[in-house]
Amino acid sequence: MAFSLWLLCQTDSFAVFIVLTFVFVAGGHATGQHFSIADLIPTNNWGFVVSAILPILIFNWVGFELQNGAGEEMHDPQRDVPRSLIRAGLVAVVAYGLVISVILFALTKNQLSTASGFTAAFQVVAGVLPGPVATALGWLVALGIVIALASSGGTWVIGADRTYAIAALDRTAPSLLGRFSGRYGTPIAVNTMTGIVATITMAIAILISEFVSGGSIGALFGLVLGFTISTTTLSYLFIFPTFLILRYKYPHVPRTYRVPGGMVGAWIVTLLPLAYAAIASYFILIPGDSTISSSTLSRATYELTEFAALGLILLLTIVFYIWGHLQASNRDVVVELHAGEADVEVQASGGE
């Protein structure tokens, strides 16, 4: 449901933008020097590409695998999960590629200097419309973007929270966090904790930007984006190697999904994304000078904020892990979530 809402809002916003761009170009408003393919090839700005662009690209390309955490609820996960991954990847490629290509090649270099993102580019091409119409349409597109981002974030959070709730039932966190809603089958305890932590984190980021940079939107955006990307990419530094560990530790366990190519294929699909995640993690935590200057924060403030937040997350994770292992009632469990039914069965299989 949330993904469908995200797709609908994104598609409508992008469609309106593309139509307006064609009208903008056809009306002769894009006269001047345009970008070519050669202009897009990096030359001497590799530091900015690696420290600023690569982390954002990786952040945009992860998360499509979250539905795998609900594989036991699917009738045929071996068919549905790979198909969903491919379809989600194709949607992302078309959505990102089409809009970025239209912005880069339809607008002139002078116009691109003021179009720092999708909303700024939309404001440029909306100039072909009468003022009141452009304003009303701009509000609708902005609303669509907000709903799309909220739907995307909600989908991502629910998928990750469900995985953590199942892990809590396996003694890696307090058993309270393994509670599921009997009506909706959602991990209600982890969802609540996520909302509380996210609200506190956002409030702290606002206070830092207010007292350090006078409430600069650029500073707030830099802090929140850096923290979001770092927590995401760092988590994958643990997720990707786990695949190889399980293949070596339990080689004879039947797997619903198999990577072709045997262990060679397993090493390839592990090392490549692991390398990308490691590079992104390093440069988002210790960014280049150009990234720091764009955030309007000092390097010390930025890095201290990022590392302090990650330290608190690590401490909370360790506390929850120890807490889960110390709970005598938190035993090995079997969780059966019946899709379409209102009940959730959690059965203990005995203690150690």
Side-chain angles (χ1 to χ4, degrees):
M1 176 64 181
F3 177 78
S4 300
L5 186 60
W6 168 83
L7 185 60
L8 177 63
C9 292
Q10 287 285 72
T11 302
D12 290 344
S13 299
F14 291 162
V16 170
F17 171 73
I18 291 173
V19 170
L20 284 178
T21 303
F22 279 116
V23 175
F24 183 81
V25 174
H29 300 282
T31 56
Q33 189 176 10
H34 290 258
F35 271 100
S36 64
I37 298 296
D39 293 323
L40 302 180
I41 300 176
T43 53
N44 58 352
N45 54 347
W46 285 103
F48 178 77
V49 171
V50 174
S51 65
I53 298 178
L54 181 61
I56 296 177
L57 288 177
I58 293 177
F59 177 74
N60 287 333
W61 290 114
V62 297
F64 299 133
E65 78 290 345
L66 285 175
Q67 64 271 31
N68 180 50
E72 70 275 8
E73 297 183 47
M74 303 177 187
H75 296 294
D76 190 358
Q78 193 172 24
R79 179 200 65 183
D80 295 338
V81 171
R83 286 185 178 181
S84 65
L85 290 174
I86 295 173
R87 290 171 181 173
L90 290 176
V91 169
V93 168
V94 172
Y96 291 140
L98 185 59
V99 174
I100 292 174
S101 298
V102 169
I103 293 175
L104 289 178
F105 297 115
L107 302 182
T108 65
K109 291 184 177 181
N110 289 334
Q111 292 166 342
L112 285 173
S113 64
T114 60
S116 56
F118 174 76
T119 53
F122 177 84
Q123 291 175 344
V124 173
V125 299
V128 299
L129 299 174
V133 177
T135 301
L137 190 59
W139 277 104
L140 291 176
V141 170
L143 180 62
I145 294 174
V146 171
I147 294 176
L149 291 175
S151 302
S152 176
T155 304
W156 201 342
V157 165
I158 290 174
D161 284 357
R162 188 192 183 283
T163 302
Y164 191 69
I166 295 296
L169 295 176
D170 196 27
R171 296 193 302 259
T172 61
S175 57
L176 172 66
L177 298 180
R179 294 184 58 185
F180 284 78
S181 169
R183 182 177 182 181
Y184 301 106
T186 55
I188 186 170
V190 183
N191 287 157
T192 303
M193 183 192 70
T194 300
I196 294 173
V197 173
T199 302
I200 294 174
T201 302
M202 191 65 190
I204 293 174
I206 293 174
L207 291 175
I208 292 174
S209 66
E210 179 68 29
F211 288 107
V212 175
S213 61
S216 168
I217 295 297
L220 177 61
F221 179 79
L223 284 175
V224 175
L225 182 64
F227 178 72
T228 304
I229 295 177
S230 63
T231 52
T232 302
T233 56
L234 285 172
S235 67
Y236 283 97
L237 294 182
F238 296 92
I239 295 174
F240 292 142
T242 303
F243 170 58
L244 284 178
I245 293 173
L246 293 176
R247 288 291 295 268
Y248 278 105
K249 194 172 182 179
Y250 306 104
H252 303 298
V253 174
R255 306 289 181 185
T256 304
Y257 320 110
R258 300 287 297 185
V259 174
M263 291 309 300
V264 175
W267 274 96
I268 292 174
V269 299
T270 300
L271 291 181
L272 286 179
L274 182 63
Y276 284 123
I279 294 172
S281 299
Y282 174 82
F283 282 104
I284 200 64
L285 292 175
I286 309 176
D289 293 335
S290 57
T291 305
I292 290 293
S293 61
S294 63
S295 68
T296 69
L297 292 171
S298 68
R299 176 175 294 276
T301 302
Y302 178 89
E303 294 182 358
L304 180 61
T305 304
E306 297 292 327
F307 281 102
L310 291 175
L312 289 176
I313 291 177
L314 179 61
L315 178 61
L316 187 62
T317 302
I318 294 173
V319 170
F320 279 176
Y321 183 82
I322 297 175
W323 187 350
H325 274 66
L326 291 178
Q327 280 187 318
S329 61
N330 198 1
R331 303 172 180 177
D332 293 336
V333 297
V334 176
V335 180
E336 296 181 4
L337 299 177
H338 299 284
E341 299 181 9
D343 60 307
V344 178
E345 299 180 7
V346 180
Q347 302 174 343
S349 62
E352 293 182 306

